[in-house]
Amino acid sequence: MSASSVNRRRILSLWLPRLPIDRIQRFLGSAGLGKTNHAPSIVVIKDNNALVIHALDEAAERLGLYIGQPLANARAMCPDLRVFDADTVADAKTLSDIADWCDRFTPLVALDPPHGLFLDITGCAHLFGGEAALLRTLVRALARQGFVVSAAIAGTSVCARTLTRQATGTIVADGEEAEAISRLPISALGAGEAVTTGLRRAGLKTIGDVASRSAHEITARFGARFSALLAHALGQGDAPINPRKPLPDYIVEKRFAEPIATDTMIAMTLSRLADTLVTSMEKQGKGARRLEAAFFRTDGVVRTIMVETGRPVTKSAVIDRLFRERLDALADPLDPGFGFDMVRLSASRTEIVVQEQRDLDAHVHDNDELAALIDRIAARIGGKRVVVHLPEDTHIPECAVLAAPAQHHLAAAMQAEWPARAESEPPLRPLRLFDKPEPVTVPFATVPDGPPHQFTWRRAKHAVVRVEGPERIAMEWWRGGQQSTRDYFRIEDAEGLRFWIFRDGLYDELIDKEGKSIPAKWYVHGLFA
């Protein structure tokens, strides 16, 4: 066997032709509402201001109903018809859940909307007893979950997809794609109604008939897109599939003949997988920055948990501790149902580990402990809630500080330089700065750039007794917009409360289109301690 044939891609195509009605019937069955009513069922969708059949079950199909048929005609043929409204969002969610479940066979799973999937099984079919065994396992498992499934395997995604529409269960050997689909009708290609009708009018009824014509003739009549589709179906090249998730750098997994359900077994499994994962990463001198644990339940439900680290992790004990923290803090506890039959641990982001002298350098040791503490807190409450503050090069107060995730910006925060405070001088900025300045009412102020004598904030009046300012801050005109200049004042009222107040706009700026002056607006931006 040549090297090119060994490395040739193998694509498994799944098609769920009755996904909308299967989803509804599974829901009714789980709710105990679908066991007594065996009437034909259809799903309808609005098309050109008319309700037409979007999906139907086997009983409705036996009556002669078909997709695209108007609902009125269907009711005339079957008065006892059960009708459900289409929910394309729920259908897409169900297809995505099935794709998550298919990750147990290969991490390269792509959506084939509206009701299909592609699985790149290149090099992994032998893990399941070969391609035929893999195909049977997958189809039977989905059938037990209540889905009607059609599947096929070929060297190209287009050929496999074509076979699922007409010859389910087919496995095409490498290089035999053209022969496998030559007798299928051209509608199986999914080229669109206009192209299919045009080919039939030209007397080309099967894919083999079209393939017998020259490529330039087909291109001139039906376009380059259809020619490329035909070539891919015949095994002459293929368009790459677009996996839903990027391939992790490292993957380890454990399958169970008897599903596990206890917390002890789950924790033990994760610990062993962490040991294996760290061993694999050590061989290439790498550590994990993002880790994902996927738990595959026997009923098809998949639960994924992710943790991130501020520095590359090279110890399995650290990984084990982070996942224990994450599992303990879950608002929605990990429900094993009837048990997990597979657990997977993957490192989706890794970095090369830089060796440092840690035994003699106390500063490096302290940084490690701080990073580990941040990782543990982030695992419990979420990485976005553990932040550090970084200075920004701007004079605008609300933009002078950037809150960034501590796990990714800890080093920058430790090296950041903040403006030094003058000794024995009061702070220039308030301890508490509001996210948005709050408006205050100022009855009168000293013009043209003086402070207010009193103001009302949150329905309470404050008499001004001491004032420092103004501190004039001009907006950044180069960023666009027409923002006014601000005059900030540090103000103390009669009760000793200290405020940071600004006037929005200079008096010579507060002029309308008619040349008349506009009353100034005042805001409180923060409170001093």
Side-chain angles (χ1 to χ4, degrees):
M1 184 178 292
S2 65
S4 60
S5 62
V6 171
N7 298 327
R8 184 69 182 271
R9 285 202 312 163
R10 301 294 291 169
I11 303 297
L12 189 154
S13 174
L14 281 179
W15 184 41
L16 295 91
R18 296 175 181 163
L19 176 65
I21 194 67
D22 289 343
R23 174 185 62 79
I24 293 173
Q25 290 180 340
R26 289 178 75 241
F27 172 77
L28 295 177
S30 62
L33 302 175
K35 297 180 180 180
T36 59
N37 194 338
H38 300 285
S41 303
I42 63 171
V43 175
V44 296
I45 194 170
K46 198 170 186 178
D47 183 23
N48 293 328
N49 294 323
L51 292 176
V52 299
I53 296 179
H54 178 60
L56 67 169
D57 63 3
E58 185 178 0
E61 190 174 6
R62 286 197 300 266
L63 294 174
L65 306 185
Y66 57 90
I67 294 177
Q69 183 179 19
L71 174 60
N73 296 352
R75 284 193 182 279
M77 297 174 61
C78 181
D80 297 332
L81 200 62
R82 286 202 304 176
V83 180
F84 302 95
D85 292 328
D87 188 343
T88 55
V89 175
D91 293 342
K93 174 64 169 58
T94 302
L95 185 64
S96 179
D97 292 341
I98 296 174
D100 287 339
W101 177 82
C102 288
D103 283 343
R104 66 173 60 228
F105 301 102
T106 171
L108 299 177
V109 181
L111 297 177
D112 180 24
H115 303 144
L117 296 172
F118 288 128
L119 282 69
D120 190 336
I121 59 172
T122 306
C124 65
H126 67 281
L127 300 174
F128 306 93
E131 292 181 350
L134 171 59
L135 187 69
R136 288 194 301 269
T137 301
L138 197 152
V139 171
R140 289 174 181 174
L142 288 175
R144 286 195 300 269
Q145 297 178 31
F147 294 102
V148 176
V149 186
S150 176
I153 299 176
T156 69
S157 59
V158 178
C159 180
R161 184 181 188 275
T162 301
L163 289 168
T164 59
R165 271 60 178 173
Q166 297 290 332
T168 181
T170 302
I171 299 177
V172 180
D174 184 29
E176 298 181 3
E177 288 82 5
E179 181 181 354
I181 66 172
S182 61
R183 297 182 181 181
L184 300 182
I186 54 176
S187 59
L189 287 173
E193 187 65 27
V195 174
T196 302
T197 302
L199 290 168
R200 287 174 177 171
R201 288 177 179 175
L204 306 175
K205 298 181 179 180
T206 66
I207 297 177
D209 294 338
V210 182
S212 64
R213 300 299 183 95
S214 60
H216 72 273
E217 180 183 354
I218 298 299
T219 303
R221 176 63 179 85
F222 300 102
R225 180 177 297 181
F226 174 73
S227 295
L229 179 69
L230 177 63
H232 295 163
L234 296 174
Q236 302 167 7
D238 190 22
I241 65 173
N242 185 22
R244 302 164 55 249
K245 304 175 183 177
L247 186 65
D249 296 340
Y250 297 88
I251 298 177
V252 292
E253 59 187 33
K254 175 67 175 178
R255 299 174 185 271
F256 302 95
E258 294 293 334
I260 62 173
T262 63
D263 294 341
T264 302
M265 285 299 301
I266 293 172
M268 187 182 302
T269 301
L270 278 178
S271 181
R272 292 175 179 174
L273 290 177
D275 291 337
T276 306
L277 184 69
V278 167
T279 302
S280 300
M281 292 190 296
E282 280 183 349
K283 295 179 181 179
Q284 299 183 6
K286 291 187 176 182
R289 288 289 305 275
R290 182 184 293 119
L291 295 147
E292 293 184 5
F295 303 88
F296 295 80
R297 238 164 56 175
T298 55
D299 59 354
V301 177
V302 182
R303 185 74 181 274
T304 302
I305 297 174
M306 183 183 71
V307 296
E308 290 187 306
T309 63
R311 295 188 175 187
V313 174
T314 58
K315 297 181 179 180
S316 59
V318 176
I319 297 176
D320 189 29
R321 180 188 302 169
L322 289 177
F323 275 109
R324 287 177 184 269
E325 296 278 2
R326 189 76 182 92
L327 290 171
D328 291 342
L330 287 177
D332 181 16
L334 197 66
D335 181 13
F338 292 103
F340 299 112
D341 59 1
M342 191 180 89
V343 178
R344 172 183 293 164
L345 181 63
S346 59
S348 55
R349 179 185 172 191
T350 59
E351 291 181 1
I352 296 177
V353 179
V354 178
Q355 299 296 332
E356 296 177 299
Q357 177 56 264
R358 300 180 181 274
D359 295 333
L360 303 179
D361 192 340
H363 181 68
V364 172
H365 183 69
D366 292 342
N367 290 348
D368 288 345
E369 291 185 347
L370 179 59
L373 175 62
I374 292 174
D375 289 342
R376 292 182 63 184
I377 297 175
R380 276 193 167 271
I381 66 176
K384 294 182 179 179
R385 297 181 179 179
V386 185
V387 299
V388 292
H389 293 93
L390 304 175
E392 293 289 289
D393 187 14
T394 178
H395 293 292
I396 301 177
E398 60 265 30
C399 301
V401 177
L402 174 66
Q407 288 181 301
H408 306 299
H409 299 86
L410 180 60
M414 299 179 68
Q415 299 174 1
E417 296 183 2
W418 295 89
R421 177 181 172 180
E423 295 184 5
S424 68
E425 290 290 335
L428 298 178
R429 293 290 184 270
L431 180 64
R432 179 186 177 190
L433 191 70
F434 298 150
D435 290 336
K436 292 184 178 180
E438 298 186 8
V440 297
T441 302
V442 175
F444 61 92
T446 306
V447 293
D449 54 5
H453 296 285
Q454 67 178 28
F455 63 92
T456 302
W457 175 53
R458 295 181 178 177
R459 294 184 294 182
K461 292 184 178 180
H462 301 268
V464 178
V465 295
R466 292 182 180 86
V467 177
E468 292 179 337
E471 177 188 356
R472 184 159 293 173
I473 299 179
M475 297 297 102
E476 298 172 342
W477 55 267
W478 56 88
R479 298 184 184 274
Q482 297 181 349
Q483 294 178 309
S484 303
T485 303
R486 298 177 182 176
D487 273 353
Y488 279 87
F489 297 89
R490 294 183 292 277
I491 289 178
E492 182 177 333
D493 68 359
E495 297 180 359
L497 299 177
R498 303 192 71 211
F499 303 87
W500 203 39
I501 292 178
F502 72 88
R503 181 184 61 248
D504 189 20
L506 304 178
Y507 281 101
D508 57 359
E509 294 177 347
L510 300 173
I511 300 175
D512 60 14
K513 296 180 180 179
E514 299 178 357
K516 298 180 180 180
S517 61
I518 303 173
K521 294 182 179 180
W522 291 82
Y523 298 88
V524 57
H525 204 165
L527 301 176
F528 290 91

